[in-house]
Amino acid sequence: MYDKEELKTIIRERSLKFGDFTLASGRKAKYYLDGKMTTLDSRGLTLVGNGILEALLADGSLPDAVGGMSIGADPITAAVLTAAGTRGLALRGFLVRKESKGHGTNKFVEGPVAEGDAVVVLEDVVTTGGSSLLAIERLEAIGIKVLGVFAIVDRMEGGAQAFAAKGYSFRSLFTIKDFGIDPPTD
């Protein structure tokens, strides 16, 4: 089951780094959250999967599928699917490619999802929301309905506002404030 404090400790010990960093958004930062250091650890990933699943179940019903941009969302997707499977719940997953393979079906979206499905996009860390918005664009291009975005950690640097401006819900297991860091005020 989900132990929020244990997951917070794992993130703090394994994923949170301090120094001078350039983020995927191009922004400069004094700290970096390497989500894969938590999601590629068996205990961290188990907690992430159960935490997200429990939050989704609290809404009253599950979406048809969960997934997000490869490679960051891949282990998160697998964890949520595994948590659902161990509880006997039906849930599917998908992966969104940054670039099409260039062969085979040449799809951007992989997995058992189809037009009309309602999905939640998963992310390890949200800063501006750019990666998730690209995933949403690719999903909607093939007729998939995106309900919202769910992240492990929200850096509180505009992602939530970007999703809201486009009509998507956004939730996270943690915000950067949970780790004693104040978001920028610019």
Side-chain angles (χ1 to χ4, degrees):
M1 291 294 110
Y2 180 52
D3 181 333
K4 185 172 185 160
E5 289 306 310
E6 182 182 2
L7 179 56
K8 184 174 165 182
T9 297
I10 291 171
I11 292 169
R12 180 179 286 119
E13 291 175 356
R14 297 188 185 165
S15 294
L16 185 58
K17 311 291 181 211
F18 293 93
D20 292 314
F21 302 96
T22 301
L23 306 176
S25 64
R27 292 183 184 194
K28 302 290 184 191
K30 293 294 183 188
Y31 71 92
Y32 181 70
L33 280 157
D34 185 351
K36 287 173 235 23
M37 297 304 290
T38 295
T39 63
L40 294 176
D41 169 80
S42 62
R43 184 62 185 154
L45 187 59
T46 298
L47 292 166
V48 165
N50 282 311
I52 292 173
L53 180 64
E54 288 178 18
L56 293 173
L57 287 169
D59 291 343
S61 66
L62 288 175
D64 296 314
V66 295
M69 290 299 288
S70 282
I71 66 171
D74 295 354
I76 304 166
T77 301
V80 175
L81 294 177
T82 300
T86 61
R87 297 179 192 193
L89 301 170
L91 185 63
R92 292 175 276 131
F94 61 88
L95 309 174
V96 181
R97 297 177 180 276
K98 287 185 171 87
E99 298 177 15
S100 68
K101 290 190 301 186
H103 64 279
T105 58
N106 226 14
K107 298 187 295 187
F108 280 107
V109 179
E110 300 285 350
V113 290
E115 185 175 345
D117 281 346
V119 306
V120 171
V121 172
L122 303 176
E123 185 77 78
D124 56 356
V125 179
V126 165
T127 303
T128 63
S131 293
S132 293
L133 290 171
L134 176 58
I136 290 168
E137 180 181 315
R138 299 236 164 105
L139 290 161
E140 290 181 339
I142 60 171
I144 293 173
K145 179 180 184 209
V146 177
L147 301 172
V149 177
F150 203 116
I152 300 171
V153 181
D154 178 8
R155 287 180 59 105
M156 302 178 74
E157 294 187 34
Q161 294 82 354
F163 301 137
K166 296 193 177 275
Y168 303 107
S169 69
F170 173 66
R171 290 186 297 169
S172 61
L173 293 175
F174 300 96
T175 70
I176 200 59
K177 287 182 176 183
D178 292 314
F179 300 95
I181 299 171
D182 291 325
T185 55
D186 52 45

